[in-house]
Amino acid sequence: KFSNKHIPLYYSWRNDPEVASNDQSGFIRPMGYEEVESWSARMVEGLTFVAYDGEVPLGTCAFMNPDYRNRHAELAIVIGNKDYWSKGYGTEIMKKLLEWGFEGLNLNRLYLHVFSFNKRAIGLYEKMGFKEEGRLRAMIYRDGHYHDLIAYGMLYEEYLALKTEKILKKI
């Protein structure tokens, strides 16, 4: 579980331009420690977790804005430790989030948003079985260009089908 002790590490990840470039628009500029600490208060109170490889923290993952009445939540995943990029950790973390969300929290729908230039994340979400649900065109301005924000979602019945077909085990 994400706690106050993780804030210094999260601060370093959030101020790394490569890590921040693929995430929410608020992180496109360096943030002061107090700003990150204030932002992190929601993470401490919410369903945010720190992913580890042994003793090494890799990143964070979360169920954001959970709506238990309508049984859905937004997923967030950040591999902040760049030494662990493109090594399959995002896949393992996402598999665990799907299991927790659908089987542990009894949700019917999980969704997420990704910038159209984040090809690595898009590949992960599509490989995991998420379906593109829509686009907010020219939603973010990065590096001199406008980019879309893509919405992806997965329903419980789709998760069950993937699990039954053992597709998630092969990934």
Side-chain angles (χ1 to χ4, degrees), residues 41-122:
R42 295 185 310 166
M43 296 170 63
V44 170
E45 297 296 319
L47 292 170
T48 302
F49 306 91
V50 178
Y52 285 87
D53 178 24
E55 298 293 316
V56 179
L58 311 176
T60 60
C61 59
F63 295 96
M64 299 170 43
N65 309 311
D67 180 337
Y68 297 110
R69 180 181 180 124
N70 296 299
R71 297 178 48 218
H72 62 79
E74 181 177 3
L75 296 180
I77 181 172
V78 175
I79 305 293
N81 186 332
K82 294 185 296 189
D83 293 338
Y84 289 83
W85 283 7
S86 298
K87 294 186 177 176
Y89 290 97
T91 299
E92 291 307 311
I93 293 167
M94 187 57 73
K95 283 165 69 171
K96 194 53 135 171
L97 284 172
L98 293 174
E99 180 184 326
W100 287 342
F102 290 124
E103 297 180 33
L105 297 174
N106 193 31
L107 298 174
N108 183 58
R109 180 174 185 275
L110 295 172
Y111 64 95
L112 51 86
H113 300 101
V114 62
F115 299 131
S116 57
F117 59 79
N118 191 346
K119 301 301 183 197
R120 187 172 56 234
I122 290 168

Side-chain angles (χ1 to χ4, degrees), residues 115-116 135-141 145-149:
F115 299 131
S116 57
R135 287 176 178 256
L136 298 172
R137 297 173 301 141
M139 186 69 172
I140 186 150
Y141 188 78
H145 303 281
Y146 285 99
H147 303 275
D148 297 349
L149 180 71

Side-chain angles (χ1 to χ4, degrees), residues 15-66:
N15 281 297
D16 181 313
E18 282 184 278
V19 174
S21 70
N22 290 317
D23 208 0
Q24 299 181 25
S25 58
F27 295 111
I28 60 173
R29 61 171 175 73
M31 296 176 77
Y33 188 83
E34 296 77 21
E35 218 176 348
V36 172
E37 188 174 39
S38 176
W39 170 270
S40 298
R42 295 185 310 166
M43 296 170 63
V44 170
E45 297 296 319
L47 292 170
T48 302
F49 306 91
V50 178
Y52 285 87
D53 178 24
E55 298 293 316
V56 179
L58 311 176
T60 60
C61 59
F63 295 96
M64 299 170 43
N65 309 311

